[in-house]
Amino acid sequence: MLFCLSNFVPISVASKAENKGASNTMIGVIFGCYALFEFLASLVFGKYLVHIGAKFMFIAGMFISGGVTIIFGVMDQLPDGPIFIIMCFLVRVIDAIGFGAAITASSSILTKAFPNNVATVLGSLEVFTGLGLVVGPPLGGFLYQSFGYEMPFISLGCVVLLMIPLNICILPSYESDPGEHSFWKLVTLPKVGLISFTLISVSSCFGFLDPILSLFVLSKFNLPAGYVGLVFLGLALSYTISSPLFGLLSDKMPTDSHMYQDAAVCVGLLTTSGAKMHLRKWLLVFGNLITAVCFMLLGPAPIVHIKSQMWLLVLILVVNGIAAGMSIIPTFPEVLSCAYENGFEEGLSTLGLVSGLTSAMWSAGFLSTASAFIGPMLGGFLYEKIGFEWAAACGGLWPLTSGLAMGLFYLLEDSRRRSKPQSFDGTEEEEAALLPLRV
């Protein structure tokens, strides 16, 4: 429901703000500040999750988001000019803070409740995220057209508020001592830094497409404006459907394997469940590389000499949605595993840091809101100067760089681990049988 709100609010308020005298630049500032303050809120709430309480933070975030959504519904009564613009800015900032609190707390609560199935649970949660992305704009548009400007905001805000008592009764309360570690120590871990860059690259790709793909579809295929949204369904639905699958795979085959254990499987001394595969990290790598190829074929880029066709565009968006699931779902458990391997305590404090970091990297980036500012701004500039075909290919450089960097890092990591003597937990007979395989 929160994602449903977050995708409908900008569409409706942008048109209302324009009618109220806000310039295009000011409208951009109003909605660009959302990602900036969500970024800041995620870092703060992640750090102080234990002090505030995960359950209270989630409930408070829902209350704030539901309340300010209702306020959005009555803001058309404000006078035109500076008063309306200032109120839009303030309400949008408060909404971002509430959303950041709810998302950071929810990820921590789910991870604490299902510690052995983190990726599966978060992947299943992305089903509802995808449904919010798909349902939000058409549902809000229907309510707007049928009942006026106020109805979609008031109705959706009330639904969020009505879910608060249910969550108060259902959600468990977790208590934990504050941890000794900080965001800085977490993000300076090499693997975590690369995964953060991966999140930034994927989110920037989505922001990159927002202002230019609809323009390309309208001009290239002469589709009615009402049908343009259907083109985006391919990406949203494929991401929604594939996310639980990649979450399940990430939990079933999560981490590194040792060479001699793989060989032991071949000779029957260990079962496949005894030698853990390393699928999760390669989902990250190939998800980014496939995304880069998809951006090359969206136009397609002139160098591939393929004619642009509607069925090809929809197919590429479907594949892009699947690749996004590959890139996004494994990030949280990978960061969490890396934190534990580097001495972070197992508890709610670390979960808060990881949840806050992943949420912040998705919404903003390290120091700037990559997905909200850089992506759309750069995409629009390139579309105007070199056309959609080359602009999309340039946008694919983000995931290409992150995919190659992650792949190189994992190859070097595997090489270092294989060069070290490995311990074995089997019997003495199995250890003796595996000794030639190690050599």
Side-chain angles (χ1 to χ4, degrees):
M1 184 59 67
L2 293 178
F3 278 97
C4 182
L5 292 173
S6 66
N7 280 273
F8 171 71
V9 168
I11 298 174
S12 299
V13 177
S15 60
K16 179 62 67 173
E18 187 175 11
N19 295 333
K20 288 284 189 177
S23 64
N24 290 331
T25 301
M26 187 56 63
I27 293 174
V29 172
I30 290 173
F31 292 104
C33 71
Y34 184 93
L36 175 61
F37 280 89
E38 185 188 344
F39 163 71
L40 297 174
S42 297
L43 294 178
V44 173
F45 290 134
K47 173 63 177 178
Y48 296 101
L49 178 73
V50 174
H51 301 80
I52 300 174
K55 182 176 180 178
F56 176 80
M57 184 183 295
F58 179 72
I59 298 300
M62 290 185 63
F63 179 80
I64 293 173
S65 293
V68 297
T69 301
I70 295 175
I71 294 175
F72 262 123
V74 298
M75 284 182 57
D76 63 327
Q77 306 298 323
L78 294 174
D80 299 354
I83 295 179
F84 178 83
I85 295 173
I86 293 173
M87 284 301 299
C88 278
F89 180 82
L90 292 177
V91 172
R92 192 72 172 148
V93 168
I94 297 172
D95 191 17
I97 295 173
F99 185 82
I103 294 300
T104 301
S106 63
S107 299
S108 302
I109 292 172
L110 289 172
T111 306
K112 183 68 174 179
F114 304 96
N116 298 322
N117 301 283
V118 175
T120 301
V121 172
L122 295 180
S124 301
L125 187 65
E126 289 302 299
V127 172
F128 301 97
T129 300
L131 290 176
L133 297 174
V134 172
V135 174
L139 176 61
F142 169 77
L143 294 174
Y144 182 89
Q145 293 292 333
S146 302
F147 304 102
Y149 172 82
E150 298 85 357
M151 184 55 64
F153 295 99
I154 295 175
S155 59
L156 293 177
C158 288
V159 170
V160 173
L161 294 179
L162 289 174
M163 289 192 295
I164 291 179
L166 179 64
N167 282 278
I168 291 176
C169 297
I170 293 178
L171 291 181
S173 297
Y174 295 112
E175 295 183 0
S176 179
D177 295 327
E180 301 177 355
H181 301 290
S182 64
F183 272 116
W184 179 248
K185 182 176 180 180
L186 180 63
V187 80
T188 51
L189 297 175
K191 182 188 290 188
V192 175
L194 284 173
I195 294 175
S196 298
F197 179 67
T198 297
L199 283 170
I200 295 172
S201 67
V202 175
S203 62
S204 294
C205 283
F206 282 110
F208 186 91
L209 283 181
D210 281 342
I212 63 175
L213 182 57
S214 58
L215 296 176
F216 173 73
V217 172
L218 287 171
S219 61
K220 187 72 175 182
F221 303 107
N222 297 318
L223 284 181
Y227 288 91
V228 174
L230 297 177
V231 176
F232 287 88
L233 285 180
L235 189 152
L237 290 177
S238 61
Y239 174 74
T240 300
I241 296 171
S242 64
S243 293
L245 174 61
F246 291 127
L248 182 63
L249 291 175
S250 296
D251 282 333
K252 295 299 181 183
M253 294 179 284
T255 55
D256 296 327
S257 62
H258 304 313
M259 185 180 297
Y260 71 92
Q261 286 182 324
D262 293 336
V265 173
C266 297
V267 299
L269 293 177
L270 285 176
T271 63
T272 53
S273 61
K276 294 181 179 179
M277 302 296 289
H278 45 79
L279 177 64
R280 187 166 67 200
K281 63 185 183 183
W282 296 113
L283 286 177
L284 279 170
V285 173
F286 286 105
N288 278 270
L289 296 179
I290 293 172
T291 299
V293 174
C294 288
F295 270 70
M296 179 70 69
L297 297 176
L298 273 177
I303 58 174
V304 300
H305 302 292
I306 298 176
K307 183 180 179 181
S308 179
Q309 301 181 67
M310 176 58 70
W311 69 266
L312 178 62
L313 177 65
V314 174
L315 176 62
I316 294 302
L317 288 175
V318 170
V319 177
N320 199 4
I322 297 173
M326 295 173 64
S327 304
I328 296 170
I329 300 304
T331 54
F332 191 100
E334 274 290 281
V335 174
L336 187 61
S337 298
C338 182
Y340 289 155
E341 291 171 1
N342 286 272
F344 283 69
E345 62 274 5
E346 296 189 18
L348 198 60
S349 177
T350 299
L351 294 179
L353 291 177
V354 174
S355 180
L357 178 68
T358 53
S359 177
M361 292 303 104
W362 175 259
S363 65
F366 288 100
L367 297 175
S368 62
T369 53
S371 62
F373 288 125
I374 298 175
M377 180 181 65
L378 182 60
F381 174 79
L382 292 176
Y383 179 82
E384 181 180 344
K385 297 299 181 181
I386 60 178
F388 176 82
E389 292 83 358
W390 282 113
C394 292
L397 294 177
W398 274 94
L400 178 63
T401 304
S402 61
L404 292 176
M406 289 293 297
L408 179 60
F409 175 83
Y410 282 131
L411 288 174
L412 293 175
E413 185 181 53
D414 283 348
S415 178
R416 288 195 299 268
R417 288 183 178 179
R418 294 180 191 276
S419 64
K420 296 179 181 179
Q422 303 291 348
S423 60
F424 182 65
D425 298 330
T427 64
E428 293 181 0
E429 291 79 6
E430 290 176 339
E431 175 75 12
L434 286 173
L435 184 58
L437 295 176
R438 292 181 182 178
V439 178

